């Protein structure tokens, strides 16, 4: 199959989507963006929009907007949607509407067009729920969801479901069991299933890239839907110490947006199609406290400063303890080697522009 010449990027005015757009344009690809400039992420039309791109200002839940955006398109990169844990379960309807309904409307538009190009879906490591754990006695085990009583008592580490011994956390591969533990996670897994069903029925190449904790330029600030790195930076800029939940030792994989964009471009344009699930991460886990302290240090804050990160002992019931990527598939099968070093990325992130969302009245 020839490389695509016209690519639709939904959510292409957003944090990750705009970086994908820039990399595609740099490769002389004709790019169309479908975006509704959601006020949860944008205070105004961003000033970084690539001028070599055609923009359709519309909602992914609108079949008419899809029809306009798909004209002449031979590959689709779906980045649009609501991210993060949100505020509480009251957000569930909007997550399902934006993520599941929006994508099924798009797949319906592709079906009616008899689309045969590549599809790349933005998914997330949240579909795994907890990460991968091993017990010295029972091998790889799946811990039960953490209980409120255990978390209230400050017992954050999952235990073996058979012998209750301490577990060791390991990188999680794509074939691990999937167990979404919050609404956002459930919508991302449903999107994966919808994409797989469409690909089977239409015999097209499709993949779903499971992003780990993405950070970098153009993240939205001061919103419950932003990533933790953005939330921490906003606190530091406002003269507050970032508050790290639990004991701060929960581990994640923080990956720079440039590496995530590159993975999407490779999946869209590479000679070898990318199929199914692929973790997109740095391959090096870091604790949340380590990330917060690295960011604070990059912003000139010292441990004696009142803005140095603090550990609260609090928790979010829908969160998980450790989840970080096995990047074997990305690196060894598809050659997606991360290029941005963590320390360099944090130094950059300390000063790059972030987006101001609309402030609710």
């Amino acid at each position: 199959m020839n490389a695509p010449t016209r690519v639709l990027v939904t959510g292409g005015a957003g944090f990750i989507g705009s970086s994908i757009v820039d990399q595609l344009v740099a490769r002389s690809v004709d790019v169309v963006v479908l975006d509704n400039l959601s006020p949860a992420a944008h205070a105004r039309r961003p000033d970084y929009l690539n001028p070599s791109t055609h923009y359709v200002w519309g909602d992914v839940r609108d079949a008419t907007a899809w029809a306009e955006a798909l004209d002449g398109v031979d590959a689709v990169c779906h980045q649009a949607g609501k991210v993060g844990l949100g505020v509480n379960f009251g957000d569930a309807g909007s997550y399902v509407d934006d993520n599941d309904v929006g994508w099924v409307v798009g797949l319906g538009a592709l079906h009616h067009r008899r689309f045969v190009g590549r599809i790349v879906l933005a998914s997330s490591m949240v579909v795994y729920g907890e990460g991968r754990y091993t017990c010295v006695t029972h091998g790889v085990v799946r811990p039960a969801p953490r209980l409120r009583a255990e978390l209230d008592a400050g017992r954050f580490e999952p235990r073996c479901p058979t012998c209750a011994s301490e577990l060791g956390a390991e990188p999680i591969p794509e074939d691990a069991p999937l167990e979404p533990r919050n609404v956002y996670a459930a919508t991302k897994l449903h999107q994966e299933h919808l994409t797989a069903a469409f690909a089977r029925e239409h015999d097209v190449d499709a993949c779903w890239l499971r992003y780990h904790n993405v950070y970098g330029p153009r993240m939205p600030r001061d919103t419950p839907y932003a990533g933790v790195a953005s939330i921490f930076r906003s606190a530091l800029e406002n003269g507050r110490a970032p508050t790290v939940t639990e004991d701060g030792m929960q581990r994640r994989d923080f990956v720079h947006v440039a590496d995530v964009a590159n993975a999407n471009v490779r999946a869209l344009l590479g000679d070898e199609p990318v199929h199914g699930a692929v973790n997109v991460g740095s391959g090096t886990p870091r604790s949340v406290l380590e990330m917060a302290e690295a960011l604070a240090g990059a912003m000139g804050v010292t441990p004696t400063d009142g803005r140095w990160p603090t550990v609260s002992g609090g928790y979010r019931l829908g969160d998980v303890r450790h989840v970080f990527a096995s990047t074997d598939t990305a690196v060894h099968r598809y050659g997606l080697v991360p290029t941005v070093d963590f320390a360099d990325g944090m130094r950059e992130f300390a000063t790059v522009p972030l987006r101001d969302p609309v402030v609710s009245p």
Side-chain angles (χ1 to χ4, degrees), residues 75-98:
V76 173
C77 184
H78 185 57
Q79 304 294 315
K82 187 183 290 292
V83 301
L85 286 180
V87 178
N88 52 44
F89 198 81
D91 283 334
S94 62
Y95 271 97
V96 172
D97 201 26
D98 286 355

Side-chain angles (χ1 to χ4, degrees), residues 12-360:
F15 165 41
I16 299 173
S18 64
S19 291
I20 296 169
V21 168
D22 287 348
Q23 289 198 19
L24 287 170
V25 170
R27 289 163 173 78
S28 300
V29 176
D30 187 13
V31 181
V32 181
V33 164
L34 173 59
D35 200 300
N36 70 345
L37 293 177
S38 169
H42 299 277
R44 62 193 64 84
R45 187 171 296 190
D47 58 7
Y48 55 71
L49 296 180
N50 196 302
S52 298
T53 299
H54 174 65
Y55 290 89
V56 176
W57 302 115
D59 197 297
V60 292
R61 296 166 294 181
D62 180 0
T64 303
W66 276 98
E68 179 182 352
L70 283 170
D71 186 34
V73 162
D74 49 6
V76 173
C77 184
H78 185 57
Q79 304 294 315
K82 187 183 290 292
V83 301
L85 286 180
V87 178
N88 52 44
F89 198 81
D91 283 334
S94 62
Y95 271 97
V96 172
D97 201 26
D98 286 355
N99 294 349
D100 294 337
V101 174
W103 187 218
V104 84
V105 170
L107 290 173
L110 293 173
H111 170 74
H112 288 300
R113 294 181 67 89
R114 299 181 179 179
F115 182 79
V116 294
R118 291 184 185 180
I119 297 175
V120 179
L121 169 71
S123 188
S124 170
M125 54 85 176
V126 296
V127 300
Y128 297 117
E130 277 289 356
R132 179 182 174 95
Y133 296 89
T134 56
C135 170
V136 295
T137 302
H138 298 99
V140 176
V141 297
R142 189 72 174 167
R146 298 187 294 173
L147 300 175
R148 193 183 297 275
E150 292 290 307
L151 298 172
D152 285 340
R155 293 189 286 269
F156 303 119
E157 293 290 343
R159 297 276 177 162
C160 175
T162 302
C163 66
S165 64
E166 292 186 2
L167 299 173
E170 297 183 346
I172 193 161
E174 289 87 353
D175 61 359
L178 305 180
E179 190 181 0
R181 295 187 176 182
N182 56 60
V183 171
Y184 170 61
T187 65
K188 297 312 291 184
L189 182 55
H190 192 206
Q191 285 186 317
E192 289 189 6
H193 289 166
L194 289 168
T195 307
F198 181 93
R200 283 193 298 270
E201 181 173 326
H202 297 81
D203 193 25
V204 299
D205 296 319
C207 66
W208 31 102
L209 304 181
R210 291 176 180 162
Y211 303 162
H212 285 249
N213 290 71
V214 189
Y215 71 96
R218 303 174 184 172
M219 289 185 81
R221 70 166 86 237
D222 297 328
T223 164
Y225 308 100
V228 65
S230 174
I231 292 170
F232 287 171
R233 195 185 115 169
S234 294
L236 289 162
E237 288 180 329
N238 291 323
R240 305 190 312 273
T243 300
V244 183
T245 59
E246 301 183 18
D247 59 1
M249 293 297 103
Q250 58 272 42
R251 282 180 285 170
R252 299 291 188 268
D253 185 327
F254 296 98
V255 57
H256 194 275
V257 67
D259 287 327
V260 174
N262 180 61
N264 279 272
V265 172
R266 162 65 182 81
L268 289 163
L269 306 182
D271 292 337
E272 179 188 1
V274 178
H275 290 122
V278 179
N279 284 330
V280 179
S282 72
T284 304
R286 311 274 177 176
S287 75
V288 175
L289 180 59
E290 182 181 3
M291 186 274 288
E293 291 179 344
L295 179 59
M299 295 179 70
V301 178
T302 66
T304 58
D305 191 311
R307 292 185 294 160
W308 194 250
T310 60
V311 175
S312 71
Y315 62 87
R316 297 181 299 184
L317 191 60
D319 213 341
V320 298
R321 181 60 175 175
H322 305 296
V323 57
F324 46 91
S326 168
T327 56
D328 287 350
T329 300
V331 172
H332 299 303
R333 181 172 179 182
Y334 296 116
L336 296 171
V337 179
T339 61
V340 181
D341 175 76
F342 175 76
D344 292 341
M346 284 293 118
R347 282 192 290 270
E348 177 207 49
F349 187 66
T351 59
V352 293
L354 303 183
R355 294 200 320 273
D356 290 320
V358 170
V359 178
S360 299

